[in-house]
Amino acid sequence: MSAHRSLEGRVAVVTGAARGVGESLARKLSARGAKVALVGLEPDGLRRVAEGLHTESAHWHADVTDQEAMTRVAGEVVERFGGVDIVVANAGVAQAGPFADTDETVWRRVVEVNLLGSVATARAFLPALIARRGYLLQIASLAALTPSPMMSAYCASKSGVEAFAHCLRAEVGHRGVRVGVAYLSFTDTDMVRGFERDDVLWEFRRRLPWPVNRICPLGPAVDRLVAGIERRSAHVYGQWWLRGMQPVRGALPALIGTFAQRDVRRFEPRFAATREQRAGLAGAGGEADNKARGD
């Protein structure tokens, strides 16, 4: 673990910063003295967040899956602030439901935003991070630690960004850049609350074992992320108990593959009857993504 670094005067970039984890993180980084560059698809929301920050800030409207746009944003951020010390690849979307009933375009979009969008973010900002020996924090999920039936796209994408971040850490460490992976369980955000619209899915999720079946408060989770950024940690856990899943993660696919079948069989007819409720991406962030793409 690296030594603690003050955030005073540092320049931090946060993607998906108009709401949820990204918004809270931007506010708490600013409160600790960091200058913040906000990136996302909701210009009005980004402007609202920027106007409420304690330190110098600016916002950019960009789709993280657009490499050309992200490269342009990175150049403009460096021009505006003089460099970049921290990048948080937070932008993400989700969809839930049986894989066989999921619209292919929606499933693919989850992977594009969560995985390819994170890759595009890293590619765009890596030169600036190398120049300042900075830190990249990749937001992953509990979904990277364990499979979760009815969330195949989200699990695939978050497992992918975890692996990508681990690879990148080994490649850029000798150049002074540190790379961390952050894990969060179901946290109180618009995206998670968006799943409540589907009563069947919500009931299915509540049958998961404690503490996975509870929605965790946003504030303490983001406080842990900020502490991880200050330490330039390789692993950051938004909920304390997630750390304990690392040693047993190898056994989870077999266990879940065996014991989840009963619940899947029980809920399958009900999922089929409520398919339309899960037609798009979850939550307000998902709606913003649909709107930006004209869907």
Side-chain angles (χ1 to χ4, degrees), residues 30-175:
S30 176
R32 285 165 172 76
K35 303 173 186 178
V36 185
L38 312 169
V39 183
L41 285 176
E42 301 173 79
D44 291 341
L46 294 172
R47 183 179 302 107
R48 172 185 55 81
V49 175
E51 290 174 349
L53 298 184
H54 300 275
T55 53
E56 183 183 355
S57 65
H59 60 88
W60 281 263
H61 176 246
D63 183 335
V64 294
T65 68
D66 185 337
Q67 185 67 70
E68 182 178 349
M70 291 303 292
T71 301
R72 172 185 54 80
V73 168
E76 293 177 1
V77 171
V78 170
E79 182 178 0
R80 169 67 182 269
F81 293 103
V84 173
D85 301 287
I86 301 156
V87 173
V88 183
N90 165 74
V93 294
Q95 182 276 338
F99 170 74
D101 292 341
T102 302
D103 180 270
E104 187 273 339
T105 302
V106 175
W107 199 99
R108 181 184 296 271
R109 184 60 180 171
V110 174
V111 176
E112 287 175 346
V113 174
N114 297 357
L115 175 54
L116 300 184
S118 294
V119 171
T121 299
R123 188 180 299 279
F125 284 97
L126 190 56
L129 289 174
I130 291 173
R132 299 271 279 257
R133 302 174 69 86
Y135 176 70
L136 170 68
L137 180 63
Q138 173 62 59
I139 303 297
S141 169
L142 168 66
L145 297 172
T146 178
S148 178
M150 306 301 162
M151 297 191 71
S152 59
Y154 195 74
C155 288
S157 66
K158 291 301 185 179
S159 295
V161 295
E162 180 194 40
F164 167 70
H166 289 332
C167 293
L168 188 62
R169 179 187 303 123
E171 293 183 20
V172 301
H174 72 286
R175 306 189 71 171

